[in-house]
Amino acid sequence: MATKIIFFTVNGRPEQAEFPVDCPAQDVKDLFRCAAEAGPHDILKLYNPKGNIINISPRLEPNGPNSCYKLEVVAADSNSEPLGVDLAGALGFDLSAMEKRLQGLEKKILTEAGETPAVVYEMKKQVDSFREKLESVEHLSWLGLFKDLSEGTHKPSPFYHKRTLRKTREECEHVREKFLQMRHVSLEVSEEVRQYLKTPTFDNWQWEDAEIMVLLQVMYTDLDFIAIYNIEPEVLQQFLFEVYRRYNNIPFHNFKHCFCVTQMMYGLIWLTDIRSKMDSIDLLIMLTSAVCHDLDHTGYNNAYQINARTELALRYNDISPLENHHCAVAFEIMEKTESNIFRNVSMDQFKRIREGIIKCILATDMTRHNEILNKFKCILPTFDFTNKDHRDVLMMILIKVSDISNEARPMEVAEPWLDCLLQEFYNQSDVEKLEGLPVTPFMDRDKITKPSSQTGFIRFVLLPLFIELANLFPCLEQHIIDPVRKALDYYTEMEKALEREKLNRAQSENAAKNKETQSSADSQTDAGNEALKPDDQ
């Protein structure tokens, strides 16, 4: 069997890997992970001798000892340090301060009362239990949260709404400096990465924020937008940095996820060969809409905004408050000359671009899902690319598909994003309970599980939407529909496993209760028999 030998260094240490040419991609990644002595959640990056990042895959070009690749571990495994410190900070708790305060109160009470009350012991027990949960990943459920699977009502727990969502000035400046150092790298991104960027299998977790900005720059370059619309590189870079700055530090609707949606849109443009069927200005509208579609999202959906009567809901009269806000922030960024990527287009072109971006971003409001999908179904049998109304509906469908395309990605890429989404969902439902607002059913941690959140969504939302788009572009069947069907099978099996686990737990508890009841009855019978015996003389 033919094999490849790859020479590389890890922390200056020479290594070499040998694997069959038809080796599965995951096996190749695992091989490099072992060489780096990295954990399962560490992020690896491989650089060629020119310093360009290349994909770790079976397609790696064989090299020699004098042209070694360089392998780096760029993100530490969360298990390498106690989980409690970071997570407790995120939750707004200081465990050390809690313990010191408790010890001080205990001494004070002991001095005044002469003994330690039982309530203090109970408080210490709860603090120890909380620390144990924070520091032990064994308590993590499939939901990626500390979810107690036992029966009973869970008390709402504070989460990231206690934190500042905005990026700090220091954080932004650090990323900006790194991006400016790399801004010319877009011209040197390897062809392999450029091709990989056009596929739905792209792994976004490998890339840092500054590198993501470089990849976004590549998209605008490779679709010829720079040349056609005279977008100066410095203006595009400033625009991308401002976009990065206006995405908040929340688990799901953040800058990295904006990139995921944009990368899927970019991939769909290439996979469907839509460049030959639509004007480049429509492609520019769709890509920029994807970049801006969740700007300044705070992690709370429209239902919360409306029920809580937030500033956004009042400003936009309860009509798609988030999506209207995302549009407003996008054009606020482009109102500044230094970050207006459309400053060199004609007035008529800008009017068309603005109208298109607003239409696309507003289409991502899921309350309009059926309306837009039904429009597309109606025009599909006679779809005409020369018809503007048809094109407008297709553009809305494409951004909708990109926006909710997570399950079309490989499971190792998609599942961590689902965990991030559930964090936002559970946070919102917790806050709704705390504030006495209607609780969004599909976000309630007491009512949904990881698999149950996906099976219905895939069956009744994702697949019907993706299938209709594939009716226009049959090539998408293998690229986005097959992976989604596999995801449905995966979560269906997970749901069944959870049901079996729940049933087994219930049976075990019933058996224990029956045993306890029987033991109690036997004890009472023995006591009764003892009472009936004649007294000893």
Side-chain angles (χ1 to χ4, degrees):
M1 181 183 293
T3 62
K4 284 185 179 180
I5 297 179
I6 306 295
F7 294 86
F8 60 99
T9 61
V10 184
N11 298 325
R13 183 181 75 251
E15 294 278 1
Q16 67 182 70
E18 182 174 4
F19 53 85
V21 292
D22 59 351
C23 184
Q26 188 56 51
D27 289 353
V28 175
K29 288 181 180 179
D30 289 342
L31 186 64
F32 279 84
R33 194 175 295 281
C34 290
E37 298 178 358
H41 305 294
D42 289 344
I43 298 174
L44 304 181
K45 286 189 181 174
L46 190 65
Y47 297 85
N48 65 17
K50 293 181 180 178
N52 298 331
I53 296 174
I54 55 177
N55 189 33
I56 299 174
S57 77
R59 297 193 299 275
L60 274 173
E61 288 294 325
N63 59 350
N66 297 325
S67 57
C68 283
Y69 298 135
K70 184 171 75 169
L71 182 66
E72 288 186 359
V73 181
V74 297
D77 189 333
S78 62
N79 294 331
S80 62
E81 295 181 1
L83 186 63
V85 177
D86 292 336
L87 187 55
L91 292 169
F93 293 111
D94 184 338
L95 288 181
S96 298
M98 287 171 66
E99 285 187 327
K100 288 177 181 177
R101 178 173 171 77
L102 190 56
Q103 288 170 2
L105 288 171
E106 186 179 0
K107 288 178 182 178
K108 186 175 179 181
I109 291 172
L110 185 60
T111 302
E112 294 177 357
E115 61 178 356
T116 303
V119 67
V120 175
Y121 285 116
E122 182 60 29
M123 288 172 65
K124 287 179 67 178
K125 182 179 176 183
Q126 289 180 12
V127 170
D128 289 341
S129 174
F130 186 51
R131 175 183 285 281
E132 182 184 353
K133 280 191 173 183
L134 285 175
E135 294 183 348
S136 172
V137 295
E138 293 175 1
H139 293 270
L140 286 169
S141 74
W142 273 343
L143 302 174
L145 298 169
F146 300 112
K147 181 171 172 63
D148 182 3
L149 296 178
S150 60
E151 297 298 323
T153 304
H154 303 288
K155 295 180 181 179
S157 58
F159 199 63
Y160 61 83
H161 61 281
K162 295 286 186 184
R163 295 200 325 243
T164 301
L165 301 181
R166 309 287 183 203
K167 294 182 175 73
T168 64
R169 182 186 296 273
E170 293 76 15
E171 183 181 1
C172 289
E173 284 307 311
H174 173 72
V175 172
R176 181 185 179 84
E177 279 181 30
K178 202 164 186 178
F179 176 45
L180 291 177
Q181 290 170 1
M182 302 170 63
R183 59 185 173 180
H184 301 300
V185 175
S186 63
L187 303 175
E188 303 172 8
V189 173
S190 70
E191 183 61 25
E192 183 182 14
V193 170
R194 283 181 132 91
Q195 293 304 317
Y196 184 34
L197 193 59
K198 298 174 182 177
T199 68
T201 58
F202 188 87
D203 186 354
N204 54 79
W205 295 108
Q206 295 184 26
W207 307 86
E208 299 170 7
D209 289 339
E211 293 168 331
I212 284 174
M213 285 188 255
V214 170
L215 294 177
L216 290 170
Q217 199 172 327
V218 167
M219 294 180 193
Y220 277 82
T221 303
D222 286 3
L223 286 171
D224 296 329
F225 296 154
I226 307 290
I228 296 172
Y229 299 100
N230 191 19
I231 302 174
E232 297 101 327
E234 295 78 10
V235 175
L236 177 59
Q237 289 153 12
Q238 184 62 30
F239 167 74
L240 294 175
F241 173 72
E242 289 297 327
V243 165
Y244 159 77
R245 193 174 66 82
R246 295 303 297 269
Y247 273 95
N248 291 320
N249 284 328
I250 54 179
F252 185 79
H253 292 96
N254 52 36
F255 179 65
K256 189 181 282 285
H257 188 258
C258 137
F259 171 69
C260 290
V261 174
T262 307
Q263 186 271 323
M264 182 60 74
M265 174 65 82
Y266 181 70
L268 290 174
I269 288 171
W270 287 101
L271 288 171
T272 58
D273 190 28
I274 207 170
R275 296 179 73 197
S276 64
K277 302 176 180 70
M278 293 177 71
D279 295 340
S280 66
I281 197 167
D282 289 331
L283 307 185
L284 176 63
I285 287 168
M286 290 192 293
L287 194 76
T288 308
S289 298
V291 169
C292 300
H293 82 286
D294 271 334
L295 278 168
D296 200 33
H297 201 300
T298 57
Y300 300 90
N301 73 359
N302 282 332
Y304 175 85
Q305 305 292 335
I306 293 167
N307 290 330
R309 300 176 189 171
T310 64
E311 181 188 344
L312 290 184
L314 295 175
R315 182 185 304 161
Y316 297 110
N317 301 311
D318 294 350
I319 300 171
S320 304
L322 283 175
E323 290 73 24
N324 273 298
H325 180 59
H326 304 326
C327 287
V329 174
F331 286 100
E332 180 186 317
I333 290 172
M334 288 182 276
E335 193 65 23
K336 300 173 184 174
T337 305
E338 64 271 20
S339 54
N340 182 6
I341 57 174
F342 304 130
R343 69 184 188 180
N344 293 324
V345 302
S346 69
M347 187 66 73
D348 287 341
Q349 284 177 319
F350 181 77
K351 184 178 178 182
R352 180 174 170 182
I353 289 169
R354 177 171 163 79
E355 176 190 319
I357 289 176
I358 292 172
K359 193 172 290 186
C360 281
I361 293 180
L362 291 182
T364 61
D365 182 350
M366 287 303 293
T367 62
R368 297 186 58 205
H369 178 79
N370 289 332
E371 168 209 335
I372 296 169
L373 182 56
N374 288 334
K375 275 186 185 177
F376 187 61
K377 286 180 178 179
C378 289
I379 64 174
L380 195 53
T382 57
F383 192 88
D384 181 3
F385 280 99
T386 63
N387 184 313
K388 182 183 182 303
D389 292 337
H390 287 198
R391 291 198 310 272
D392 285 349
V393 176
L394 176 58
M395 289 164 69
M396 290 191 287
I397 288 291
L398 284 167
I399 196 167
K400 282 178 61 58
V401 168
S402 302
D403 188 28
I404 57 175
S405 62
N406 187 51
E407 297 307 334
R409 301 179 184 278
M411 189 55 65
E412 63 270 20
V413 178
E415 192 167 11
W417 276 120
L418 174 57
D419 293 332
C420 294
L421 179 61
L422 287 173
Q423 287 183 35
E424 281 192 20
F425 279 3
Y426 293 152
N427 175 72
Q428 176 170 319
S429 66
D430 288 349
V431 172
E432 287 168 337
K433 292 172 186 176
L434 286 168
E435 296 179 356
L437 299 173
V439 179
T440 308
F442 63 85
M443 296 185 177
D444 192 341
R445 70 171 75 239
D446 296 322
K447 293 181 179 176
I448 69 161
T449 61
K450 183 174 183 173
S452 71
S453 72
Q454 288 305 97
T455 50
F457 183 70
I458 292 173
R459 281 195 186 98
F460 303 116
V461 179
L462 280 193
L463 279 175
L465 175 64
F466 286 18
I467 287 169
E468 292 303 328
L469 183 60
N471 286 334
L472 185 62
F473 301 108
C475 62
L476 295 181
E477 178 82 27
Q478 69 179 94
H479 292 292
I480 63 173
I481 295 180
D482 288 349
V484 167
R485 287 198 171 110
K486 289 178 182 175
L488 178 58
D489 292 341
Y490 175 77
Y491 288 114
T492 300
E493 286 304 312
M494 187 187 289
E495 192 169 22
K496 289 177 181 176
L498 274 181
E499 287 299 321
R500 287 194 297 269
E501 182 183 348
K502 187 176 179 181
L503 180 62
N504 291 338
R505 186 183 296 112
Q507 288 174 344
S508 299
E509 289 175 355
N510 287 336
K513 286 178 183 177
N514 291 337
K515 186 175 180 181
E516 186 179 339
T517 302
Q518 184 61 44
S519 176
S520 176
D522 291 344
S523 298
Q524 290 176 6
T525 301
D526 292 343
N529 291 337
E530 189 68 29
L532 292 174
K533 288 182 180 179
D535 293 338
D536 292 336
Q537 298 298 319

